[in-house]
Every structure is written in structure tokens, then in C-alpha cells.
Amino acid sequence: MGRRRAETGAAEAAGTPRSEPENPQEPAGRHYRPHHKAPLWLRIAALVLCSVLVIGVGTAGVLFYKLQSNVTTAPLDGRLPNGANSGPAIEDTGSLQILILGTDTRDGKNSQYGSEEDSSGQGQSDVMLLMDISPDNSRVSVTSFPRDLVVPIPDCVSATTSETVYGSSAGQLNGALQAGPGCTVAAINDITGLSIDHFMLADFTAVKELSTALGGVEVCVDHAMYDVNGSFLRLPEGKSLVEGEQALAFLRTRHAFGDSGDLDRIKAQQYFLGSMVRKVKSEGTLTNLPRLYTLADVVTKNLTIDEGLANIPSMVTIATRLAKIDLAKVSFVTVPTEPYVADNNRVQLQQPQASQFFAALRQDTDLTASPTPSSTGGTLASTPPAETPAATQSPDAPAYEKALQPISVVNATAVVGRSLELVQALAAAGFSNAWQAGDIPAVSETKLLYGAEMADVAADLATLFNLPPAAVQFDATVAGISLVVGADWISGTQYGTIVVPENIVASTAEQDAGCMKVNPLYYTY
């Protein structure tokens, strides 16, 4: 016995496991618990669940990769070298502006619509829509820019060749696309004072396939018609469901509606978009992920976007934000224009209405709201507000003689006589050496420019007129002070008044616009 105990003790000391007790019914120790295997059904369920998760994640990855690989990218700002910049990340909240462009290029799958000589390469912008989503996702405006709008076009770097494409002081806006979508973004940023976050560029094929994937979009015309001079759109009187080629023809026609002008085509595009938004909203498409994937797959195959937008989560976030917006707060706007002075077949910005509208966009103004105090502390109005008394000067005595300070007031509002009100306000505050320096073409933003040793005077004038710090700028070429009054300040002596041009909203997505008026030249019987 002693030997056996010694052997056992040696084995345990060497780490050899002890043999099982002879009686299997007898516990081996105080903490022993019998081991039971998991039921077969539970093991099968766990295996199935793991398989589903693996397959699900794998499938999601494949779908994600498939959509990601569909996308073509280009720089956001065409003035910078190819690939040098992209837009910011898409967040759930915060102001978001996306420029949506439609190109008339005949390259590739679009060759059936004409020869490459008609419009090769990037083409020109058939459609230019600026979608502006409010920071709190309560509203969205969709602003149309006419393709015939004459504006300054900047020098840009070609998105395809990386060569410089020289701009023009007075070029047609749709031609900026020749250097790539980023050049159109840059041109619109310049005229609006905005900083557009992202862009999407679609071709003819994208429009056809998207309208088909949606199951058609309902339109209505007041007379049977056939556009024999371009789009070949043919519709019976009343309502029709258009998709594919018909949907593309409805958006492209320049002759069938109204007076056969570009502005009438814009009306048709806004009409189509309003109907499409109502359908997408009513069917819950934006919150139906499988349905949304189908649409994304269609769109991304024929889409060029900036790199900051080139990921599927960003697209899903945009869809989620849009899904929250009430149809009555989806507004369609056309930039205020008038005939171009050098060619009545083209248009130019109408002032001061255009600059007033751009100022409202920069301040995230609700274009569908009734006159009410704005979030910036100014007054939101559809017509210029009544005169406001000038601000009281600080009780601290300035370290200069106010009556000796040279102050010129330049009118850049396109409102006749605007400078006089401000010169009178300056005189009332003791700045009697102020004068009207004439009118110049309208600019979007007010600037208070000051020369050498005039910073303290400029600061006091900024306080007097409630000007923002960004408006106060040093300019070595200025002798004294130059107050350049822009179209963002067309009335009153206190900066911050937001004036929304009257009837700027053409329609909202909630409104059924009835039937489009057909040009009688294109009636069929």
C-alpha cells in the first residue's frame, strides 16, 4: 500500500492525471458537476444562425463592393488639379448642398442620340439643379440654373486631360462642363457665394433606367402633342405614365411646352421632379433598403460624383435625410433671370433678386415660410422692410475725429438710390465726411474695406451697421473707408435683413401642378 501511494503521489507531482474513480456514480470531488451536451436543436440553430450571419455579412459586402465599383469620380473643385480635393463627409444633420447635373454627351451608351461631333467628351449641362437640405432636415430646396445663363466661367483643370481649360468673363453656364463637373461647381460657387458640398453627374441612360426602375412617373398635358423638332416626345391629352425613352424625352424637350424656351423646359423638369418625389415618398422607397439598393445600382452605373460622396453609406444617409422631409417643404425654384443684354436668346442674372435669393440660401432661409424673424437675427421678408434707425454709437469716445474720416459708400445692390440712406445714417452718427461713390454691378455680399491706419474706424462702423466680422477686410488700395453695399443688404441701416424675392418658389412637391400647357405648334389631333 505504501508503494502504491508513493507511485500515485509521484504521478500527481509529475502532472499525470489521476485515474477516474472505479464507481462512475460517485462524484470525484466537492465541486464536480456532471457535463451535459447542448441539445441537438440548439446546436443546429446556432450553426444556422452563424451561417446566416456569415452569408448576410458576405452578401452585404458583395453588394457594397458592387455599388462602390459602379461609381466614377471627379474632383469637386475644377480649379484644382485632378483628384486634389473632395467634399466633406455626409452627416445625419447639418447643411448639405449637392449640385445635380445632367450631361448631353453622346459618348458611349448615349451615341444613339447623335454623333460624337454633336457633343463629345463631357458634353454640356442639360440640367443644373442645386439641392439644398436644411441642417435640421426639415426642408429642401431644388434650384434650377438655366443652361443659357451667361456668367463668368473660371479657368479650370480638365478632369480628363489635366490640361488648363480657360474660362470667360461672360460664358454660357452649361459650357463649364467641358472641363468637368467640378468647373460647373466652381462657376456656381462664384456667382452665389456658396460652397457646394458635393455633385452628381448623370447622363441620358441614367434618366431612362431610373424612371423605369421607379415604375414610371405620372405626367399630364393639356392637349395631345408630338415634338417633331428634337425630343420626339409624343403624349395623349391628359395623364400618362412615362418611363425610359419617354421620360427622357419629357425632360429634354425644348419645344413642346410654353413658348419653347429654356425656362419652359425648366418648368417641365420641375414638374417631373415634383411628381417623382410624390411617388417615391408615397411608396416609402427611401426607407426600403432592398428597393433603395435596386435604385442605387441603376443610378451608380451611370453616375459621376466627387470622391467625398463616393461611398454607399453617404448615399444611404442622404436618402434617410430626404425621407424625413414633408412634401410641403420641398420647394422648386428657378434662379431669377432676365434677357441677356447682348443676346436676347440667352439670359443673365436679374438683380437685385438673384443676389437676394443667394443671400437667403447662404443663411439657410426657409423659402416656403411666411414673413417671420430669421434664425440669423435679421428679418425675413418677401418685400423690403421699413426703415430701421441707425444703431447708437458706443459711449466710449473714439481716438479719432469722426467728422474727418473719409468714407465712400458704393452701391452694388442694383437698387437705385440705396447709398443715400446709409450716407444719411453715417452723418447722423457723426461721420459727416461720407459720400455716395456711385453704382457698380450688383455683388452678392457686402464688404467694408479699410486702408492703412483705419482699422479702428472700420471696427466702429461695423458696430454701427451690425456688420459681421467676415465683411470687414483690409485693402491697401483703399484710402480711408469704402463701404461696398451688396445685394444681401438692400434696405435699412442694420445689416442682417434677409429679403426673399417675391414668388421665388415656383412650386412644392406637395402641389399637383395639373397639366403642362402644350405649345399649339405641337398639337396633334
Side-chain angles (χ1 to χ4, degrees):
M1 290 292 293
R3 181 182 176 187
R4 181 169 182 80
R5 286 178 182 174
E7 289 176 350
T8 302
E12 290 176 351
T16 304
R18 181 186 300 183
S19 61
E20 293 292 327
E22 294 181 4
N23 185 357
Q25 303 301 319
E26 184 178 349
R30 293 180 56 207
H31 300 293
Y32 173 80
R33 293 290 184 272
H35 175 69
H36 297 292
K37 292 185 178 180
L40 180 62
W41 68 266
L42 183 58
R43 283 181 284 162
I44 293 175
L47 180 62
V48 170
L49 179 59
C50 290
S51 301
V52 168
L53 288 175
V54 170
I55 293 173
V57 171
T59 302
V62 170
L63 296 180
F64 183 93
Y65 175 78
K66 184 173 183 291
L67 292 179
Q68 195 83 24
S69 62
N70 286 345
V71 172
T72 301
T73 63
L76 176 63
D77 190 331
R79 286 171 291 206
L80 300 177
N82 195 15
N85 68 99
S86 61
I90 304 292
E91 304 290 346
D92 294 332
T93 57
S95 180
L96 178 61
Q97 294 170 333
I98 301 174
L99 183 63
I100 302 170
L101 303 170
T103 174
D104 64 358
T105 182
R106 269 71 171 180
D107 275 357
K109 291 182 288 185
N110 302 290
S111 59
Q112 62 179 298
Y113 300 102
S115 65
E116 291 189 4
E117 289 74 17
D118 291 336
S119 181
S120 60
Q122 293 281 353
Q124 296 180 321
S125 305
D126 248 1
V127 178
M128 290 174 281
L129 303 170
L130 179 61
M131 180 173 69
D132 185 0
I133 305 176
S134 67
D136 61 355
N137 301 322
S138 65
R139 61 188 183 276
V140 60
S141 64
V142 180
T143 301
S144 297
F145 290 81
R147 56 174 287 144
D148 299 336
L149 178 62
V150 177
V151 297
I153 305 296
D155 295 342
C156 292
V157 177
S158 171
T160 54
T161 68
S162 297
E163 296 178 353
T164 299
V165 179
Y166 294 101
S168 168
S169 60
Q172 198 162 295
L173 182 57
N174 70 330
L177 189 61
Q178 291 287 332
C183 197
T184 307
V185 171
I188 292 179
N189 280 342
D190 287 347
I191 63 175
T192 62
L194 297 167
S195 183
I196 295 171
D197 298 307
H198 301 283
F199 73 81
M200 297 180 177
L201 173 67
D203 60 14
F204 294 153
T205 303
V207 174
K208 292 190 303 181
E209 294 186 357
L210 176 60
S211 62
T212 301
L214 286 171
V217 175
E218 185 178 274
V219 299
C220 181
V221 294
D222 68 351
H223 197 285
M225 52 80 60
Y226 180 45
D227 176 10
V228 297
N229 289 331
S231 72
F232 303 107
L233 174 66
R234 186 191 295 273
L235 290 173
E237 180 182 351
K239 295 181 178 180
S240 298
L241 200 64
V242 297
E243 61 181 76
E245 292 288 351
Q246 265 198 319
L248 178 61
F250 189 92
L251 291 169
R252 290 186 63 213
T253 181
R254 187 164 180 163
H255 308 286
F257 304 121
D259 298 324
S260 299
D262 190 43
L263 297 180
D264 291 297
R265 172 161 56 180
I266 285 177
K267 291 178 183 177
Q269 291 168 352
Q270 292 174 340
Y271 177 97
F272 183 93
L273 287 172
S275 180
M276 185 176 72
V277 169
R278 287 192 294 274
K279 178 170 186 174
V280 168
K281 189 82 169 179
S282 66
E283 294 179 353
T285 301
L286 295 178
T287 55
N288 183 331
L289 289 181
R291 177 81 165 142
L292 195 59
Y293 168 78
T294 300
L295 296 179
D297 185 39
V298 168
V299 172
T300 52
K301 289 177 182 176
N302 306 283
L303 199 66
T304 300
I305 56 183
D306 66 276
E307 293 179 1
L309 197 58
N311 59 83
I312 305 309
S314 291
M315 297 182 185
V316 172
T317 299
I318 293 171
T320 302
R321 293 184 63 170
L322 291 173
K324 302 174 183 178
I325 299 174
D326 188 272
L327 291 177
K329 291 297 184 180
V330 179
S331 59
F332 296 100
V333 177
T334 302
V335 172
T337 61
E338 61 188 7
Y340 179 46
V341 291
D343 181 359
N344 284 341
N345 292 317
R346 298 190 288 174
V347 294
Q348 63 188 25
L349 294 175
Q350 182 184 28
Q351 298 295 358
Q353 291 89 336
S355 290
Q356 292 167 2
F357 169 61
F358 298 149
L361 283 184
R362 291 195 300 273
Q363 296 295 332
D364 289 316
T365 305
D366 185 353
L367 302 177
T368 63
S370 301
T372 181
S374 77
S375 60
T376 60
T379 301
L380 173 63
S382 56
T383 55
E387 179 178 344
T388 304
T392 303
Q393 185 71 1
S394 169
D396 297 332
Y400 56 83
E401 181 64 41
K402 290 196 288 184
L404 299 179
Q405 308 310 310
I407 305 170
S408 64
V409 181
V410 181
N411 180 19
T413 66
V415 176
V416 177
R418 171 68 179 121
S419 298
L420 178 60
E421 181 179 25
L422 297 174
V423 168
Q424 290 173 338
L426 285 165
F431 296 95
S432 55
N433 189 22
W435 67 93
Q436 300 181 67
D439 299 350
I440 63 172
V443 298
S444 296
E445 299 178 80
T446 296
K447 299 293 183 185
L448 180 64
L449 307 176
Y450 64 92
E453 300 182 358
M454 297 294 288
D456 52 349
V457 181
D460 288 343
L461 294 183
T463 300
L464 176 67
F465 292 127
N466 194 35
L467 294 172
V472 184
Q473 299 177 6
F474 173 74
D475 188 333
T477 66
V478 173
I481 299 284
S482 177
L483 176 59
V484 182
V485 189
D488 55 350
W489 187 23
I490 67 163
S491 180
T493 57
Q494 288 290 281
Y495 180 87
T497 299
I498 300 172
V499 178
V500 178
E502 192 172 357
N503 300 322
I504 189 66
V505 175
S507 61
T508 68
E510 183 185 46
Q511 300 167 340
D512 186 341
C515 295
M516 290 292 298
K517 183 176 178 59
V518 176
N519 186 324
L521 294 175
Y522 298 93
Y523 282 178
T524 58
Y525 298 93

